C-alpha cells in the first residue's frame, strides 16, 4: 500500500505541529486536575466570602467582630495601599474591603451614626452576604449598649459571642448525584474538543493539501493503481490518524482520572468523543480539499478551532453564554458535542427519557460528519473534472 | 530617496497577506470570540433576590415576629428573598426538587432550613435564619438582665436596623476583570507586530535574503534604507493597532477609561516595542527563519499567558510572587499600562510601565543597530 505508507510518512513529518497542541492541552489538563476538582463534602458547608479587613482602631469589640466575621468570610491580609487594594479587588483576590475608622466603636456604643467604609464589586452576591453579618454584629452591640448601659466592652463581646453561637439546623435534600458530575473527566472531555479539532485539522488537512498538489496528484494517477484504491488508502490513513489521536488523548484521561473510568457515564463519554472525532475528521478532509497550499494552514486551523470552542462552551461553560451566541454556536458540531458531554456527566439513570437528548446530539454529530463528507466529495469531483 | 524607499517598502509589506492576517484579522477575530464568550461572565456575580419559600404551618402562622421579619426582608427593591409561601411541606419539597426555590424555612421549636446543596445563596439563607435566632436570643438575655428594657422600646430598636457600612468606590472605574482579557489581547497584537520588524531585518541583511542583496547594491546608506523600511513597518502596525482599538471600543464597547490620548500613545509605544523587538531577535538569531519565528511566537504567547490572556488570575499571581517577571515581560508591560489607565486615577503606575517600555525599545533598537551596522559582504 504505497499511498498509505506515504501518508504515514507525511504524518510523521508533521508530528511537531500536531504535538504542540497535544502538549499544551496536557499541560492545561494537568493544571485543572491539580487545582479545580473540589472534594464533595457531605452535609452543609457555609460559603465564605473573601474579605480584607482594615481596622484603624483596636478595641475588644473590633476583635470580637473580626472573630465573628471569620465565620462567614475568609479574612485576607493586604497591605493598606490604594493600588494594592484595587488590584486585589479587580482580580477577585478579595471581593469585599472593609475599613473600620478610628472612633467607630465609641460611636456605635453611644448611638452615633458613624459608618465603616466598604469597597466592593458593585451589586455582587458576596456584597449582600457579608453585609448581613456586618450589620447584625454592630446593631446588636448598639442595642446592648442602649439597654444595658453599664455593660463593659469585654462583657459585651462575650455576650454577643454567646448570642451568635447558635446555628440553624440545615437539612440537605439532595437527589442522587452522578460520580462524573463536575468531575475532572467532564472538563477533560469538554476541553478535548479543542485539542482534537486542532490536531485533526493540522494532520488530516495537511495530508490532503499535499496529496492534492497538482503534480503529485498527476503522478499518483499515472501509477498502475486504481483511483478507488488510492482514495481508499488515503481514507484509511486518515482514519488511522484520527483514531490514534483520539486514543492517545483518551489514554491520558485514563491516567489522570482513573476513578471515573468504571462508571457507565464513561461509555457515553467515549462514544460521544468518538463521534466528534468522526465529524471533525470529515471537516478536516473538506478543508484539505478546499485549500490550495499550506501557507494559510495554521491561520485556518486556529480560527476554525478557537472560534467554535469559544462560543460553544469549551472554555467558558454554556450556562454562562449569551443565548444569541449559543444559537450561532449550534451550527457547529462542537456545540452539540459539549451539550451531550454536559448531559452525560450528570446522568444517574440510563433510561430512554434521560438518554434521548444525548442521542439526539450524537445523531447531529453524525449528520455533521456526513454533510462534510458529502460536500468534500462534490468539491473533489468538481476539482478533478476541472483539472482534466 | 527616503520617501521613495518608504513608499516601496510600504507596498512590499502590505502585500504580505499572511502577516496582515496574524497582526490584524486574527486579533479582531479573537477579540470577537472573547467578547462572545465573556459577555455574560460578570452577570453571574450580580446579586439577584433569592427564590425562597416558607412552610405555612401552625408555628409560622402564630409567630408574628418571624412573619414580620421575613416579609419585611422580602419587600422592596433591595429585598433579599423572592418569598413564596408553601401551604404544606410537601409543596415546598416539590418546589425545591424542580429548582423553583433554592431552599425553604420551616418554623417550629427551632427555625430550620432545607436546601438541596451548599452554595452562596443557601449560605445567605442560613445566615438570615442564624440572624433571626441570634436576635431572639439577644432579646431574651437583655430582658433577663434588665426587664424594663422591653418597655423601653427594645423590640422597636431591634426592628430599626441601622446600616453600618457605606460603599465607597476604590477608584473611578469599576473592577470589571473581563477587560484584562482584551488588554492582553491588544498587547499580544503589538507583539505579533514583531513579525514586521523581523521582515525588515531579513530584507536588509544581504546574506539572508535575495531582496536584501538587491537593496544593498543600491547606493543608499544602509541606515537610511533601514530606517525608512522600519518606519513603513511601524506605520502599518500602528494603524492596525488603531483599527483594533477602534473595533474593540466602538464595536464591542470595551472601556479604556477616559484618557483617550494616553491610550493612543500606549498603542504607539506598543507598536514601536513590537517592531523593534522583532528586529532585534531577527538580527540576533543568525540561524534559519523557522527558529526566528518560533522564538517570537513563544515569547509572545508565553508573555500573553503570564499577563492573563488565557487565565485571568495569572497576571495577579505573577505580580504577587514574581514581581520582577511582570516588569520584564513586554506583553505584561503593555497590558498593565492599559489596565492602569483604565483602573487607577493616578498615572504613577502607567508612567512606570511606559518608562520600562521606552527602555526596552531603546535596548532593542540599539542592539539591532550594533549588530546590523557596517556589514560588508565580500561575496554572496
Amino acid at each position: 500500500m504505497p499511498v498509505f505508507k506515504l501518508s504515514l510518512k507525511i504524518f510523521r513529518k508533521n508530528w511537531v505541529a500536531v504535538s504542540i497542541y497535544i502538549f499544551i492541552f496536557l499541560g492545561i489538563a494537568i493544571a485543572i486536575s491539580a487545582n479545580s476538582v473540589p472534594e464533595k463534602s457531605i452535609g452543609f458547608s457555609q460559603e465564605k466570602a473573601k474579605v480584607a479587613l482594615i481596622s484603624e482602631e483596636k478595641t475588644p469589640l473590633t476583635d470580637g467582630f473580626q472573630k465573628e466575621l471569620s465565620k462567614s468570610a475568609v479574612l485576607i491580609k493586604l497591605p493598606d495601599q490604594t493600588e494594592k487594594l484595587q488590584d486585589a479587588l479587580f482580580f477577585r483576590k478579595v471581593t469585599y474591603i472593609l475599613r473600620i475608622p478610628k472612633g467607630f466603636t465609641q460611636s456605635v456604643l453611644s448611638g452615633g451614626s458613624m459608618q465603616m467604609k466598604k469597597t466592593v464589586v458593585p451589586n455582587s452576591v458576596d456584597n449582600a452576604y457579608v453585609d448581613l453579618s456586618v450589620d447584625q454584629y454592630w446593631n446588636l452591640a448598639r442595642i446592648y449598649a442602649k439597654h444595658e448601659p453599664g455593660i463593659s466592652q469585654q462583657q459585651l463581646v462575650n455576650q454577643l459571642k454567646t448570642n451568635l453561637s447558635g446555628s440553624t439546623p440545615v437539612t440537605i435534600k439532595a437527589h442522587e448525584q452522578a460520580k462524573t458530575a463536575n468531575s475532572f473527566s467532564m472538563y477533560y472531555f469538554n476541553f478535548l474538543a479543542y485539542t482534537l479539532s486542532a490536531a485533526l485539522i493540522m494532520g488530516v488537512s495537511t495530508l490532503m493539501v499535499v496529496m492534492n498538489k497538482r503534480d503529485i496528484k498527476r503522478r499518483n494517477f499515472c501509477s498502475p493503481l486504481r483511483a478507488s484504491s488510492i482514495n481508499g488508502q488515503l481514507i484509511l490513513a486518515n482514519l488511522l490518524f484520527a483514531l490514534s489521536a483520539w486514543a492517545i488523548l483518551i489514554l491520558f484521561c485514563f491516567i489522570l482520572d482513573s476513578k471515573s473510568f468504571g462508571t457507565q457515564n464513561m461509555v457515553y463519554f467515549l462514544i460521544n468523543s468518538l463521534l466528534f472525532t468522526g465529524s471533525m475528521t470529515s471537516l478536516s478532509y473538506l478543508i484539505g480539499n478546499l485549500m490550495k497550499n499550506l501557507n494559510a494552514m495554521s491561520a485556518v486551523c486556529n480560527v476554525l478551532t478557537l472560534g467554535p470552542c469559544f462560543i460553544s462552551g469549551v472554555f467558558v461553560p454554556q450556562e454562562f453564554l449569551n443565548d444569541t451566541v449559543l444559537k450561532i454556536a449550534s451550527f457547529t458540531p462542537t456545540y452539540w458535542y459539549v451539550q451531550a458531554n454536559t448531559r452525560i456527566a450528570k446522568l444517574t439513570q440510563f433510561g430512554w427519557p434521560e438518554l434521548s437528548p444525548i442521542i439526539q446530539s450524537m445523531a447531529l454529530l453524525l449528520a455533521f460528519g456526513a454533510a462534510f463528507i458529502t460536500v468534500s466529495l462534490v468539491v473533489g469531483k468538481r476539482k478533478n473534472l476541472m483539472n482534466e | 530617496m527616503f520617501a521613495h524607499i518608504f513608499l516601496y517598502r510600504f507596498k512590499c509589506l502590505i502585500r504580505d497577506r499572511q502577516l496582515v492576517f496574524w497582526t490584524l484579522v486574527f486579533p479582531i477575530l479573537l477579540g470577537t470570540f472573547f467578547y462572545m464568550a465573556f459577555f455574560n461572565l460578570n452577570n453571574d456575580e450580580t446579586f439577584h433576590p433569592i427564590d425562597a419559600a416558607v412552610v405555612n404551618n401552625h408555628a409560622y402562622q402564630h409567630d408574628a415576629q418571624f412573619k414580620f421579619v421575613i416579609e419585611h426582608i422580602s419587600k422592596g427593591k433591595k429585598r433579599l428573598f423572592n418569598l413564596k409561601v408553601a401551604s404544606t411541606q410537601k409543596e415546598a419539597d416539590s418546589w425545591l426538587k424542580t429548582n423553583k426555590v433554592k431552599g425553604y424555612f420551616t418554623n417550629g421549636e427551632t427555625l430550620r432550613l432545607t436546601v438541596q446543596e451548599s452554595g452562596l445563596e443557601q449560605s445567605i439563607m442560613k445566615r438570615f435564619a442564624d440572624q433571626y435566632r441570634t436576635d431572639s436570643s439577644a432579646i431574651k438575655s437583655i430582658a433577663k438582665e434588665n426587664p424594663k428594657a422591653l418597655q423601653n422600646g427594645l423590640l422597636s430598636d431591634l426592628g430599626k436596623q441601622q446600616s453600618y457600612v457605606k460603599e465607597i468606590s476604590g477608584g473611578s472605574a469599576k473592577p470589571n476583570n473581563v477587560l484584562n482579557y482584551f488588554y492582553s489581547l491588544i498587547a499580544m497584537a503589538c507583539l505579533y507586530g514583531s513579525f514586521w520588524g523581523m521582515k525588515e531585518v531579513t530584507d536588509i541583511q544581504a546574506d539572508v535574503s535575495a531582496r536584501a542583496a538587491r537593496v544593498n547594491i543600491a547606493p543608499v546608506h544602509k541606515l537610511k534604507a533601514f530606517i525608512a523600511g522600519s518606519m513603513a513597518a511601524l506605520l502599518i502596525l500602528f494603524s492596525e493597532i488603531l483599527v483594533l482599538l477602534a473595533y474593540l471600543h466602538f464595536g464591542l464597547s470595551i472601556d479604556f477609561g477616559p484618557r483617550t490620548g494616553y491610550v493612543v500613545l500606549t498603542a504607539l509605544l506598543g507598536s514601536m516595542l513590537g517592531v523593534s523587538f522583532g528586529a532585534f531577535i531577527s538580527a540576533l538569531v543568525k540561524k534559519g527563519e523557522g527558529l526566528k519565528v518560533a522564538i517570537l511566537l513563544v515569547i509572545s504567547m508565553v508573555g500573553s499567558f503570564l499577563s492573563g490572556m488565557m487565565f485571568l488570575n495569572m497576571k495577579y499571581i505573577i505580580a504577587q510572587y514574581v514581581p520582577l517577571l511582570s516588569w520584564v515581560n513586554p506583553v505584561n508591560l503593555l497590558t498593565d499600562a492599559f489596565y492602569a489607565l483604565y483602573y487607577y486615577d493616578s498615572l504613577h503606575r502607567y508612567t512606570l510601565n511606559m518608562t520600562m517600555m521606552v527602555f526596552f525599545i531603546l535596548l532593542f533598537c540599539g542592539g539591532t543597530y550594533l549588530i546590523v551596522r557596517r556589514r560588508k559582504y565580500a561575496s554572496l
Side-chain angles (χ1 to χ4, degrees), chain B residues 190 234 237-239 241 266-276 334:
Chain B
C190 288
L234 183 63
L237 180 60
F238 184 48
S239 328
I241 299 295
T266 317
L268 179 63
L269 270 197
S271 315
M272 289 165 78
L273 185 65
V275 173
S276 62
L334 263 167

Side-chain angles (χ1 to χ4, degrees), chain A residues 52-72:
Chain A
L53 181 67
I54 299 159
S55 184
E56 287 170 5
E57 64 172 4
K58 193 172 160 62
T59 62
L61 263 180
T62 57
D63 286 346
F65 169 64
Q66 190 170 341
K67 277 205 192 96
E68 268 321 307
L69 190 62
S70 63
K71 278 189 197 164
S72 54

Side-chain angles (χ1 to χ4, degrees), chain A residues 102-149:
Chain A
K102 221 175 168 60
F104 177 71
T105 314
Q106 212 42 53
S107 158
V108 173
L109 294 178
S110 57
S113 60
M114 198 179 212
Q115 283 180 310
M116 292 178 281
K117 288 172 192 137
K118 66 171 177 184
T119 311
V120 293
V121 178
N123 303 322
S124 63
V125 189
D126 283 12
N127 173 24
Y129 182 46
V130 179
D131 270 358
L132 273 180
S133 312
V134 173
D135 276 336
Q136 184 187 28
Y137 193 87
W138 295 102
N139 269 306
L140 277 180
R142 167 181 62 100
I143 288 163
Y144 266 106
K146 187 173 173 195
H147 293 282
E148 281 188 37

Side-chain angles (χ1 to χ4, degrees), chain B residues 54-321:
Chain B
V54 59
V55 179
N56 191 11
N57 57 9
H58 189 73
Y60 176 68
Q61 283 158 6
H62 288 84
D63 191 343
Q65 204 193 342
F66 177 67
K67 217 170 159 176
F68 172 77
V69 172
I70 197 164
E71 274 168 9
H72 181 75
I73 208 155
S74 313
K75 258 188 280 183
K77 227 180 174 182
K78 282 190 140 183
R79 66 184 184 278
L80 203 55
F81 302 132
N82 288 327
L83 190 68
K84 294 169 99 177
V85 181
S87 48
T88 57
Q89 173 115 11
K90 221 174 171 184
E91 188 178 21
D93 269 335
S94 73
W95 286 347
L96 190 64
K97 208 167 182 183
T98 49
N99 256 330
K100 273 189 189 142
V101 295
K102 295 279 175 194
Y104 64 84
F105 298 107
T106 325
N107 205 355
E109 220 166 287
T110 52
L111 183 60
R112 306 179 63 90
L113 173 65
T114 311
V115 295
Q116 253 186 337
E117 55 187 350
S118 304
L120 198 53
E121 285 169 320
Q122 288 80 354
S123 294
I124 293 181
M125 291 183 74
K126 175 162 184 292
R127 199 73 224 165
F128 165 77
D130 285 347
Q131 186 165 351
Y132 179 73
R133 165 198 289 268
T134 306
D135 285 352
S136 342
S137 110
I139 292 171
K140 275 182 206 144
S141 56
I142 292 178
K144 212 166 102 192
E145 286 287 313
N146 181 8
K148 271 192 207 146
L150 283 170
Q151 285 133 43
N152 287 345
L154 174 61
L155 286 179
S156 73
D157 274 343
L158 195 63
K160 274 186 238 145
Q161 288 276 329
Q162 198 171 331
S163 172
Y164 279 111
V165 274
K166 188 170 73 181
E167 184 170 343
I168 53 160
S169 61
S172 45
K174 278 189 192 163
N176 180 2
N177 53 7
V178 170
L179 289 175
N180 196 65
Y181 287 114
F182 295 94
Y183 298 158
S184 52
L185 175 74
I186 304 168
M188 183 203 79
C190 288
L191 264 277
Y192 267 15
S194 57
F195 290 109
W196 294 118
M198 184 186 95
K199 205 172 158 78
E200 256 341 291
V201 168
T202 312
D203 285 356
I204 200 78
Q205 285 179 295
D207 54 343
V208 179
S209 70
R211 188 181 283 139
R214 166 64 187 86
V215 170
N216 271 268
I217 294 171
V220 182
H221 195 279
K222 196 171 178 180
L223 188 62
K224 194 172 167 187
F226 182 61
I227 289 180
S230 302
M231 284 296 144
L234 183 63
L235 179 68
I236 293 174
L237 180 60
F238 184 48
S239 328
E240 284 175 339
I241 299 295
L242 286 184
V243 171
L244 176 65
L245 280 176
Y247 173 71
L248 291 177
H249 186 65
F250 298 110
L252 308 181
S253 46
I254 300 301
D255 196 350
F256 288 98
R259 291 169 282 213
T260 316
Y262 285 115
V263 173
V264 174
L265 179 68
T266 317
L268 179 63
L269 270 197
S271 315
M272 289 165 78
L273 185 65
V275 173
S276 62
F277 171 63
F280 179 66
I281 294 293
S282 178
L284 197 65
V285 180
K286 291 283 184 287
K287 283 197 188 109
E289 197 174 332
L291 186 64
K292 291 180 188 176
V293 173
I295 291 179
L296 291 180
L297 261 183
V298 166
I299 292 184
S300 28
M301 281 337 275
V302 172
S304 307
F305 174 70
L306 294 181
S307 49
M309 197 173 88
M310 294 83 170
F311 171 56
L312 188 68
N313 286 6
M314 206 60 212
K315 179 166 156 35
Y316 189 74
I317 293 169
I318 297 292
Q320 245 190 345
Y321 298 108

Side-chain angles (χ1 to χ4, degrees), chain A residues 157-194:
Chain A
V157 170
N158 293 338
Q159 193 59 257
L160 287 173
K161 202 175 157 194
T162 356
N163 290 154
L164 286 162
S165 63
S167 173
T168 309
V170 182
T171 323
I172 297 197
K173 283 227 166 121
H175 27 238
E176 197 191 349
Q177 237 195 356
K179 256 190 209 156
T180 41
N182 289 321
S183 66
F184 170 75
S185 292
M186 185 188 98
Y187 293 111
Y188 187 92
F189 273 99
N190 271 351
F191 206 79
L192 194 72
Y194 172 67

